[in-house]
Amino acid sequence: MKKLVYIVFLIGCFTYAQDDADVKEKEKALNTSKNLTWEANKELSENNFSQAEANYRKAISKSSENAVAPYNLGSAYYNKETYSEAFGRFKQAGELASTKADKHKAYHNMGNVFMKNKEYEKAVEAYKEALRNNPSDEETRYNFALAKELLKKQQDEQKKNDQNKDDQKDNKEDQKDKNEDKEKNEGDGDDKKDDQGKDKDKKDGEDKKNKGDEGDKENKDDKDGKGDDKKDQKKPNDKGDKKPQDQQQQPRPNQLSKQQVKNLLKAMENEEKKVQEKMDAQKVKGAKVKNEKDW
């Protein structure tokens, strides 16, 4: 039993000694980190940024309990306008911070980085977190109000831009519809002109056809008339003057030709002459002959 108690005592002493050694090691590392941070601050004040950056990094690697080193490195990046690197270091400092004061400073500076990048919504959240750790800080309160105002303005501009894009899209669609309607109307106009041209050509063709039919009909009538004339013509009187066939006037259907009329009148004159001669012959036979003149 005594041996067991002795063993437990030894184990306890060993554990205590080990824990004490770890604590001492952490304290030593923290002190080294703080010394490196101090040297980096000095070099940064002398505008030796590259050496200061190196010492800040060494200080961060030596101890995870030193929140000052990443915070000061973040500030150095912020002044160099390397905002992405600055944000990473401020975030690291906020996670390592053990006091509200340190957390407040880390989140306040994160809000400043977001403001530089015009990420106003994230800036509002960062300043809000900073105010949770120190509600009375006037600078943080002012930045918080400014971030909210800029966020509202940004959102209004975004809505306006979206509206303009929608309007431009609608205008393009309207213009597209107008162009399509115009092209359609022009196409219909061309088709109408083509139809009118076809109708005109068709009408001209029909007119030509009708004229051709009328000409054929007239030619046919002329031919028919000439045939009738040939049937109605009689041989001229042997005693009359015979004119060439091509100089005689062609009569109309069912009418006597000029030559026929002449022949008929001459025949009538000859008949009258014969009758007159007969009458004169009878008078000569019945009358007395006078040898003396009549008083």
Side-chain angles (χ1 to χ4, degrees):
M1 184 69 181
K2 290 183 179 180
K3 288 183 178 181
L4 180 61
V5 173
Y6 181 73
I7 292 172
V8 171
F9 176 75
L10 290 177
I11 293 173
C13 291
F14 178 79
T15 303
Y16 176 78
Q18 184 68 36
D19 291 340
D20 186 55
D22 291 340
V23 170
K24 288 181 179 180
E25 185 67 28
K26 287 182 179 180
E27 288 179 355
K28 183 180 179 180
L30 180 58
N31 290 332
T32 302
S33 177
K34 287 180 179 180
N35 290 334
L36 289 170
T37 301
W38 183 84
E39 291 178 4
N41 292 340
K42 181 181 177 182
E43 289 161 351
L44 188 63
S45 65
E46 295 173 353
N47 294 324
N48 190 356
F49 177 81
S50 59
Q51 189 61 43
E53 181 184 18
N55 284 329
Y56 281 133
R57 289 180 179 274
K58 288 179 182 179
I60 293 168
S61 65
K62 286 292 182 179
S63 176
S64 61
E65 295 179 0
N66 184 8
V68 177
Y71 179 85
N72 287 0
L73 181 57
S75 296
Y77 283 136
Y78 184 88
N79 293 331
K80 282 283 187 180
E81 298 182 355
T82 311
Y83 298 122
S84 59
E85 294 289 341
F87 174 77
R89 293 306 176 179
F90 288 140
K91 182 179 180 181
Q92 185 180 15
E95 292 171 350
L96 294 175
S98 59
T99 64
K100 286 188 175 183
D102 291 341
K103 286 183 179 294
H104 164 260
K105 290 189 292 185
Y107 282 105
H108 177 94
N109 283 3
M110 278 191 278
N112 290 347
V113 171
F114 287 131
M115 291 286 281
K116 289 291 185 180
N117 293 331
K118 296 182 178 181
E119 297 177 280
Y120 301 122
E121 187 173 0
K122 292 181 179 180
V124 168
E125 295 301 321
Y127 290 133
K128 190 184 293 185
E129 187 64 29
L131 288 172
R132 288 193 182 102
N133 290 279
N134 187 2
S136 62
D137 188 88
E138 292 298 328
E139 186 177 353
T140 304
R141 290 167 65 89
Y142 173 82
N143 288 0
F144 176 65
L146 179 62
K148 288 197 298 182
E149 182 179 350
L150 293 174
L151 175 61
K152 184 177 183 302
K153 184 178 180 181
Q154 186 182 59
Q155 290 173 343
D156 292 340
E157 289 179 353
Q158 186 63 40
K159 289 179 181 179
K160 185 177 180 180
N161 292 334
D162 293 340
Q163 184 63 40
N164 291 335
K165 288 181 181 179
D166 292 339
D167 293 341
Q168 290 177 359
K169 185 178 179 180
D170 293 339
N171 291 334
K172 287 182 179 180
E173 291 178 354
D174 293 340
Q175 187 63 37
K176 183 178 179 182
D177 294 338
K178 289 180 181 179
N179 292 335
E180 290 177 353
D181 293 339
K182 183 178 180 182
E183 292 177 357
K184 184 178 180 181
N185 293 333
E186 289 178 353
D188 294 340
D190 294 337
D191 294 339
K192 188 175 181 180
K193 289 180 180 179
D194 293 339
D195 294 339
Q196 290 176 351
K198 290 179 181 180
D199 293 339
K200 184 178 180 182
D201 294 339
K202 183 177 180 181
K203 184 177 180 182
D204 293 340
E206 291 177 353
D207 292 341
K208 290 180 180 179
K209 183 178 179 182
N210 292 334
K211 290 180 179 179
D213 293 340
E214 291 176 358
D216 294 340
K217 184 176 180 181
E218 290 177 359
N219 293 333
K220 184 176 180 182
D221 292 340
D222 292 340
K223 290 179 181 179
D224 293 340
K226 290 179 180 180
D228 294 337
D229 292 343
K230 289 180 180 179
K231 291 179 181 179
D232 294 337
Q233 286 179 0
K234 295 181 180 180
K235 292 183 180 180
N237 197 326
D238 294 340
K239 293 182 181 181
D241 295 333
K242 185 177 183 181
K243 292 184 179 180
Q245 185 71 23
D246 56 352
Q247 294 180 359
Q248 295 180 1
Q249 183 177 359
Q250 299 296 330
R252 295 182 180 178
N254 300 324
Q255 291 184 1
L256 296 176
S257 65
K258 185 176 181 180
Q259 186 61 41
Q260 290 174 338
V261 172
K262 287 182 178 181
N263 294 337
L264 182 59
L265 291 173
K266 193 164 185 175
M268 292 175 66
E269 289 177 358
N270 292 333
E271 290 296 328
E272 289 178 357
K273 188 175 180 181
K274 288 180 181 180
V275 173
Q276 188 64 37
E277 289 176 353
K278 289 180 179 180
M279 291 177 65
D280 291 341
Q282 290 178 358
K283 287 180 180 180
V284 171
K285 291 178 180 180
K288 294 181 178 179
V289 178
K290 293 181 178 180
N291 294 327
E292 296 178 358
K293 297 181 179 182
D294 294 332
W295 296 98

